[in-house]
């Protein structure tokens, strides 16, 4: 998904990072203007001079516009880097090199590749060159062979030969069994040297303990029909699932400082997932929460995490690394969790948010000063762990937030890699909006007898508080209809306009701006800081219109959003539910308007189901669209075409 480009980049980077390669530098500083114009630019254009063109590793990004700092020709420094790592320096669409240049105020010119190495020319003031060198060193640092005391020491410390064997054909091959067994033993010894994890902090309130099974069942039914069970076999010896608490005091009366923090937020009652999750988590059990953003799930795993951090044997300041890890699929969600975490002050516990696209150096800085909670996207987490900026030895409470989405985005290898080295006796929490086989697999590999709490979909419940209207339009007429809506907006109205493509979002926001209508846009082509600013502008009410792609469809919590407009209908109906759930939150009502053009007919059937479920009016036109689509599919099947909804042009024209 291109909307998550930086994460993908991080993903690729840490894949590459597995192959250590030496870096060589040539520290010659030449105090004269560069004679070496960029390859292929003819030396005429200034901008071309700083462009890297068609180099073997990075691909051609000559069309990428970079807003270069002013060129300072006085200093040039040359540096050689492994050619196969040039892609890492360039970044997707030139994003990394742009970031390096804008942060350092130096210019980087990628020169000729002489086989394994490529020449980089760095231009700028002394200060800028030093800064960009540091940044490049940081960027490439994880290619250094790991230090001797790392868990990879077996392959680096002269023991290498032990892990080879001769196969039947007389060829030397790696003895994986031996290597794996050595690794397992080594890990075990490492973990055994750590003190046991303290997990049980729960003292059940007598009123909660006295609930009868039938009153528990009634409570669960009345609270979103919450379902609670052991996910896998309910083995003998496992404790019964704890009863739900009903008040904040029943969960935290032994932790008055935590209670004070909750009171400060002014919440009336715990949410259903909190009622059921707190007793489970405070008791130290693994938990799977099938719940979406908006259910109060963050606080459900956060408050027990704070108590867990404080309750360990080794005092916080003496621990080698942070204690709690919260992994989230996107930077927006990571930042949102970070914001939520920062609302609760407990005994000076510190957190950091690590995400691709954020200032890596600053993130490293914060980590090195000591933090207790790490909130991270998978790519940046692996990046910093592999570069040895972050120690995972003390992680004893792990949260995989929105696990299904992380898997959808292809982060499974990253998650597995991160969890591989975390001590296995940790407490693990997973949240997911859905329960597909991939998430189940992850749970069975990495969780211990988890208890599963299904809260149903509160976003679906939110859909019940949203008036959903369908507007049938011609594709060409969408912009006019949108404009008419905007011109009739009240001063209190706040709207997200969802577009199917980044280009459409850019186009719409530009058109609105040209018409003098203030708006913001949020999509994957925007820089991280612009994306953050766009959200902040919406939240603070500086603008009332946000034009976005599905990067904003989940999780984003803009409390007073009154309208969602589906300018383009989403590819999947789940996304419709998520988009619509951005409004009608926290007991408010909202309106969703969906523009339906005739080529959206494949979605009609699913949309009808949602509308019916939420007691909304189903327009006749939508019903007949669904019927026509069904008939077309049947016809196709009879004809043996099996091409589903994608008919030939003539057929579509007839429709
Ligand atoms: P989450 O599902 O974690 O994204 O939470 C969504 C919003 O609900 C956040 O703004 C929380 O501050 C808020 N929230 C969390 N717990 C409660 C509660 N018990 N009552 C009301 N709001 C809550």
């Amino acid at each position: 998904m291109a909307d998550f480009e930086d994460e993908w980049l991080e993903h690729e980077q840490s894949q590459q990072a597995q192959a250590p390669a030496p870096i060589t530098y040539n520290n010659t500083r030449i105090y004269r203007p560069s004679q070496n114009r960029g390859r292929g630019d003819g030396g005429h254009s200034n901008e071309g001079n700083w462009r890297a063109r068609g180099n073997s590793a990075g691909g051609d990004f000559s069309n990428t516009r970079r807003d270069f700092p002013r060129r300072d020709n006085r200093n040039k420094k040359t540096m050689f880097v492994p050619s196969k790592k040039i892609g890492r320096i360039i970044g997707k669409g030139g994003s990394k090199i742009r970031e390096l240049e804008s942060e350092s105020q130096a210019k980087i010119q990628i020169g000729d590749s002489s086989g394994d190495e490529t020449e980089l020319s760095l231009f700028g003031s002394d200060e800028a060159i030093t800064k960009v060198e540091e940044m490049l060193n940081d960027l490439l640092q994880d290619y250094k062979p790991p230090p001797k005391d790392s868990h990879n020491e077996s392959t680096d410390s002269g023991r290498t030969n032990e892990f080879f064997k001769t196969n039947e054909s007389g060829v030397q091959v790696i003895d994986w069994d031996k290597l794996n067994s050595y690794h397992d033993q080594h890990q075990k010894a490492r973990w055994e040297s750590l003190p046991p994890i303290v997990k049980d902090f729960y003292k059940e309130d007598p009123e909660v303990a006295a609930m009868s099974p039938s009153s528990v069942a009634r409570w669960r039914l009345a609270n979103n029909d919450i379902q609670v069970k052991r996910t896998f076999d309910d083995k003998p010896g496992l404790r019964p699932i704890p009863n739900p608490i009903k008040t904040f005091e029943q969960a935290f009366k032994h932790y008055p400082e935590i209670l004070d923090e909750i009171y400060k937020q002014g919440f009336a009652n715990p949410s259903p997932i909190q009622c059921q999750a707190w007793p489970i988590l405070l008791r130290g059990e693994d938990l799977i929460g099938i719940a979406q953003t908006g259910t109060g799930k963050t606080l459900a795993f956060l408050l027990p995490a704070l108590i867990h951090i404080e309750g360990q044997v080794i005092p916080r300041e003496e621990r080698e690394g942070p204690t709690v890890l919260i992994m989230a699929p996107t930077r927006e969600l990571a930042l949102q969790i970070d914001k939520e975490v920062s609302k609760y002050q407990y005994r000076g516990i510190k957190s950091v948010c690590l995400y691709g696209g954020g200032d890596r150096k600053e993130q490293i800085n914060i980590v090195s000063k000591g933090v207790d909670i790490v909130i991270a996207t998978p790519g940046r987490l692996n990046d910093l762990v592999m570069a040895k900026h972050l120690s995972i030895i003390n992680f004893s409470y792990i949260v995989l937030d929105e696990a299904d989405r992380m898997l959808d985005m292809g982060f499974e290898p990253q998650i597995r890699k991160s969890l591989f080295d975390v001590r296995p006796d940790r407490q693990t929490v997973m949240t997911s909006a859905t329960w597909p086989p991939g998430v189940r697999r992850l749970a069975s590999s990495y969780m211990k007898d988890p208890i599963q709490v299904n809260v149903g979909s509160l976003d679906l419940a939110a859909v019940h508080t949203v008036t959903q209207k369908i507007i049938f339009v011609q594709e060409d007429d969408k912009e006019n209809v949108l404009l008419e809506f905007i011109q009739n907006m009240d001063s209190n109205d706040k709207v997200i306009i969802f577009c199917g493509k980044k280009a459409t979002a850019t186009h719409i926001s530009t058109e609105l701006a040209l018409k003098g209508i203030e708006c913001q846009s949020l999509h994957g082509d925007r820089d991280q800081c612009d994306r953050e600013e766009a959200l902040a502008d919406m939240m603070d009410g500086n603008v009332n219109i946000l034009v976005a792609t599905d990067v904003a469809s989940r999780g984003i919590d803009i409390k007073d959003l009154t309208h969602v407009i589906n300018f383009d209908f989403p590819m999947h109906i789940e996304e419709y539910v998520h988009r619509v759930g951005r409004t009608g939150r926290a007991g408010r009502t909202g309106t969703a308007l969906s523009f339906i053009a005739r080529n959206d007919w494949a979605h009609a059937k699913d949309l009808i189901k949602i509308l019916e479920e939420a007691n909304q009016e189903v327009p006749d036109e939508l019903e007949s669209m669904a019927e026509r689509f069904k008939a077309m599919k049947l016809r196709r099947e009879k004809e043996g075409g099996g091409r589903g909804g994608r008919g030939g042009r003539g057929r579509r024209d007839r429709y």
Side-chain angles (χ1 to χ4, degrees):
M1 243 195 265
D3 282 327
F4 307 106
E5 278 175 7
D6 289 337
E7 269 310 307
W8 280 107
L9 175 64
E10 295 297 328
H11 176 90
E12 281 161 18
Q13 286 170 352
S14 55
Q15 299 281 334
Q16 292 172 349
Q18 293 180 39
I23 310 165
T24 50
Y25 301 98
N26 175 353
N27 285 326
T28 41
R29 184 165 288 205
I30 305 165
Y31 290 94
R32 63 183 162 78
S34 163
Q35 300 303 309
N36 180 13
R37 313 292 264 178
R39 264 203 291 158
D41 68 344
H44 298 303
S45 118
N46 243 5
E47 191 177 340
N49 200 26
W50 307 108
R51 259 180 197 162
R53 294 203 171 192
N55 70 68
S56 57
D60 186 345
F61 68 111
S62 52
N63 287 329
T64 310
R65 213 188 102 61
R66 287 192 269 152
D67 291 325
F68 301 117
R70 270 175 57 78
R71 192 167 60 145
D72 180 344
N73 273 349
R74 280 171 308 148
N75 294 335
K76 173 186 170 186
K77 188 168 183 182
T78 310
M79 172 175 182
F80 288 89
V81 296
S83 298
K84 63 181 176 187
K85 309 303 175 200
I86 285 294
R88 179 171 234 238
I89 294 170
I90 294 170
K92 195 147 192 170
S95 58
K96 195 72 203 177
I97 201 164
R98 269 201 305 270
E99 183 190 316
L100 291 165
E101 288 184 328
S102 83
E103 271 186 42
S104 65
Q105 289 298 300
K107 296 177 183 95
I108 305 169
Q109 184 179 345
I110 300 173
D112 285 328
S113 159
S114 52
D116 289 348
E117 291 188 335
T118 295
E119 181 181 329
L120 292 189
S121 302
L122 313 176
F123 298 89
S125 64
D126 284 355
E127 202 185 330
I129 288 183
T130 310
K131 172 115 199 243
V132 79
E133 260 186 310
E134 266 174 28
M135 292 176 79
L136 284 163
N137 284 343
D138 260 357
L139 186 66
L140 299 170
Q141 195 176 31
D142 46 356
Y143 302 119
K144 283 180 189 162
K148 290 249 157 58
D149 64 352
S150 88
H151 62 272
N152 287 329
E153 76 182 45
S154 57
T155 49
D156 294 331
S157 60
R159 302 195 49 170
T160 318
N161 286 342
E162 279 182 40
F163 302 111
F164 281 90
K165 64 180 180 187
T166 310
N167 69 9
E168 306 88 57
S169 328
V171 177
Q172 278 235 314
V173 291
I174 296 174
D175 186 342
W176 284 109
D177 289 343
K178 203 165 178 187
L179 195 58
N180 286 338
S181 133
Y182 174 83
H183 179 265
D184 290 350
Q185 281 169 22
H186 183 78
Q187 287 287 58
K188 220 167 147 215
R190 217 165 136 241
W191 289 323
E192 275 168 8
S193 68
L194 300 169
I197 301 172
V198 184
K199 289 185 180 170
D200 193 348
F201 302 96
Y202 191 49
K203 292 188 192 83
E204 196 174 42
D205 182 273
E207 250 181 67
V208 176
M211 283 175 87
S212 67
S214 62
S215 67
V216 169
R218 270 200 311 278
W219 178 90
R220 287 182 181 148
L221 190 65
N223 281 273
N224 281 65
D225 193 13
I226 204 165
Q227 312 272 331
V228 192
K229 57 175 186 188
R230 290 266 173 201
T231 304
F232 304 114
D233 290 345
D234 197 352
K235 296 179 207 146
L238 292 177
R239 292 200 277 174
I241 291 168
N243 292 341
I245 53 93
K246 292 181 192 159
T247 64
F248 293 117
E249 294 74 16
Q250 286 176 345
F252 299 110
K253 74 168 165 233
H254 303 289
Y255 304 94
E257 293 149 86
I258 296 267
L259 270 183
D260 284 345
E261 292 299 306
I262 299 174
Y263 296 149
K264 277 189 209 156
Q265 303 301 318
F267 300 145
N269 293 303
S271 72
I273 189 162
Q274 291 163 356
C275 291
Q276 195 54 83
W278 281 334
I280 296 169
L281 289 174
L282 286 170
R283 206 170 76 176
E285 305 243 18
D286 283 6
L287 174 98
I288 299 172
I290 304 296
Q292 304 202 351
T293 308
T295 54
K297 68 183 167 73
T298 313
L299 205 57
F301 60 70
L302 175 66
L303 298 183
L306 298 179
I307 293 169
H308 177 103
I309 292 170
E310 262 301 85
Q312 298 311 304
V313 178
I314 302 183
R316 263 164 44 213
E317 50 294 346
E318 288 170 29
R319 280 173 224 163
E320 195 186 303
T323 310
V324 168
L325 169 66
I326 304 170
M327 272 206 233
T330 63
R331 53 186 111 154
E332 275 78 12
L333 279 174
L335 284 166
Q336 199 160 293
I337 297 169
D338 189 39
K339 200 167 159 202
E340 194 70 10
V341 170
S342 64
K343 288 184 195 162
Y344 301 87
Q345 309 301 323
Y346 185 56
R347 307 204 177 165
I349 286 177
K350 293 194 205 86
S351 66
V352 66
C353 189
L354 311 176
Y355 54 97
D359 185 336
R360 187 173 181 274
K361 199 148 196 192
E362 195 187 321
Q363 293 172 2
I364 293 169
N365 228 339
I366 301 173
V367 170
S368 68
K369 285 185 190 143
V371 290
D372 308 289
I373 303 177
V374 169
I375 304 145
T377 51
R380 181 53 62 96
L381 174 75
N382 269 341
D383 169 20
L384 297 193
V385 170
M386 295 200 65
K388 313 249 173 282
H389 291 300
L390 178 64
S391 161
I392 56 172
I393 186 116
N394 263 307
F395 279 141
S396 53
Y397 187 107
I398 306 263
V399 182
L400 304 176
D401 200 17
E402 303 218 353
D404 52 347
R405 200 169 180 201
M406 287 202 268
L407 296 189
D408 283 351
M409 290 172 68
F411 285 132
E412 186 162 353
Q414 310 261 324
I415 298 170
R416 288 187 179 269
K417 207 154 72 180
S418 299
L419 296 186
F420 191 61
D421 282 332
V422 177
R423 55 190 293 185
D425 53 346
R426 65 180 179 253
Q427 187 172 1
T428 311
V429 186
M430 185 189 270
T431 80
S432 185
T434 53
W435 186 232
V439 176
R440 255 174 270 174
R441 220 175 38 238
L442 210 59
S444 71
S445 321
Y446 293 105
M447 301 184 82
K448 199 156 175 288
D449 305 315
I451 296 176
Q452 185 166 337
V453 179
N454 288 33
V455 207
S457 160
L458 263 210
D459 265 11
L460 261 180
V463 171
H464 290 194
T465 62
V466 177
T467 308
Q468 298 166 63
K469 291 186 182 157
I470 308 300
I471 300 173
F472 295 94
V473 284
Q474 303 281 347
E475 197 64 46
D476 304 349
D477 216 22
K478 282 180 176 179
E479 268 182 67
N480 292 334
V481 180
L482 178 68
L483 208 58
E484 200 180 317
F485 168 85
I486 290 174
Q487 279 155 355
N488 288 315
M489 272 171 71
D490 283 345
S491 56
N492 289 332
D493 284 347
K494 220 179 223 194
V495 56
I496 298 189
I497 300 160
F498 280 106
C499 303
K501 294 182 181 153
K502 292 179 282 188
T504 316
T506 305
H507 169 75
I508 299 284
S509 55
T510 311
E511 284 297 308
L512 295 182
L514 286 173
K515 290 188 166 60
I517 299 167
E518 281 196 44
C519 66
Q520 263 289 11
S521 69
L522 180 62
H523 55 74
D525 272 352
R526 299 206 71 195
D527 284 343
Q528 176 59 19
C529 55
D530 295 331
R531 288 161 67 162
E532 283 170 33
E533 189 182 283
L535 266 181
D537 275 350
M538 268 305 265
M539 292 193 183
D540 301 345
N542 296 336
V543 294
N544 286 338
I545 300 172
L546 179 69
V547 187
T549 58
D550 276 318
V551 75
S553 73
R554 293 203 202 187
I556 303 301
D557 193 18
I558 301 170
K559 289 204 168 47
D560 48 357
L561 195 78
T562 55
H563 291 80
V564 163
I565 296 187
N566 290 314
F567 184 85
D568 294 316
F569 201 80
M571 293 285 283
H572 303 289
I573 200 71
E574 292 81 14
E575 230 46 70
Y576 172 85
V577 174
H578 291 302
R579 288 179 180 187
V580 169
R582 293 312 96 215
T583 181
R585 299 172 78 76
R588 293 185 170 90
T589 54
T591 304
L593 305 175
S594 298
F595 293 178
I596 298 279
R598 57 185 197 168
N599 56 1
D600 292 316
W601 62 338
H603 304 297
K605 186 174 150 211
D606 288 334
L607 181 56
I608 290 170
K609 266 198 239 157
I610 302 264
L611 294 176
E612 280 175 345
E613 206 265 337
N615 289 327
Q616 301 288 310
E617 192 189 325
V618 179
D620 293 344
E621 174 60 15
L622 197 64
E623 303 262 20
S624 72
M625 252 182 155
E627 276 160 26
R628 286 199 300 266
F629 183 73
K630 189 173 161 197
M632 181 277 293
K633 273 181 78 178
L634 281 174
R635 218 166 41 238
R636 275 288 141 70
E637 274 164 28
K638 273 197 203 135
E639 288 167 10
R643 278 174 293 161
R646 298 278 157 220
R649 179 173 280 275
R651 285 169 204 275
R652 274 218 254 156
D653 283 350
R654 271 210 306 279
Y655 158 78

